[in-house]
Amino acid sequence: MHVLDILTELQTLYKDQLGYPHPRVAGLTEADVQRWSALLDVPRSMLYDELAIHLAFGFHASEMTFAFCDAVVNDLHGVITSADEHRPKLFWAVYLAFDEGEYYHQNNRDEDPVEVYTRPMIARIVEASSSTQ
């Protein structure tokens, strides 16, 4: 199994995430994270970072929607919180970038928070990640 297989599974799981705000669906679970970590033979923290960077690159390339990426990182964060795990630095940066697109900043409804906040933050993450590879 590869992280791309996990993303395919996630796209099936979150197939109804067409817009924002999105309807809640039964998202990923602790059992999913345990299974994926075991199948990839990586620590959970590495799994979180790998999923986050793939979501960032997918969103940056407009191959994945904001709603999909936001739902996945929110649910991953829920698993991390429930398990009282440390938030890996890269995952946390990606999570915060998507979080910024969830609301109107200073109640300014004239700007799209995804375009004004999330896209530039994700672009910086992708650029930094590309330069270290």
Side-chain angles (χ1 to χ4, degrees):
M1 179 173 248
H2 188 271
V3 72
L4 296 177
D5 298 318
I6 295 170
L7 288 170
T8 299
E9 186 176 335
L10 286 168
Q11 287 170 335
T12 300
L13 185 63
Y14 292 88
K15 70 181 183 292
D16 294 330
Q17 307 298 19
L18 301 176
Y20 195 84
H22 50 75
R24 288 305 303 158
V25 296
L28 61 91
T29 66
E30 166 72 25
D32 293 320
V33 170
Q34 284 180 339
R35 179 171 51 86
W36 296 331
S37 180
L39 287 171
L40 293 177
D41 194 28
V42 297
R44 290 165 62 120
S45 61
M46 186 179 288
L47 172 67
Y48 299 138
D49 278 349
E50 281 293 313
L51 288 171
I53 198 61
H54 277 81
L55 292 170
F57 271 86
F59 178 75
H60 184 68
S62 298
E63 295 169 352
M64 297 177 190
T65 67
F66 172 82
F68 169 74
C69 295
D70 186 56
V72 172
V73 296
N74 280 330
D75 287 349
L76 281 171
H77 186 256
V79 170
I80 291 168
T81 302
S82 293
D84 198 25
E85 294 177 285
H86 171 76
R87 293 179 198 100
K89 186 177 178 180
L90 177 59
F91 170 83
W92 188 237
V94 171
Y95 171 85
L96 291 175
F98 285 108
D99 188 60
E100 289 297 310
E102 292 179 352
Y103 64 96
Y104 293 106
H105 294 248
Q106 299 173 354
N107 206 26
N108 183 353
R109 295 185 180 272
D110 292 330
E111 64 183 20
D112 178 352
V114 173
E115 296 304 319
V116 174
Y117 298 97
T118 301
R119 280 213 185 273
M121 292 172 76
I122 291 294
R124 287 190 294 274
I125 292 166
V126 165
E127 182 179 313
S129 180
S130 296
S131 66
T132 60
Q133 292 180 357

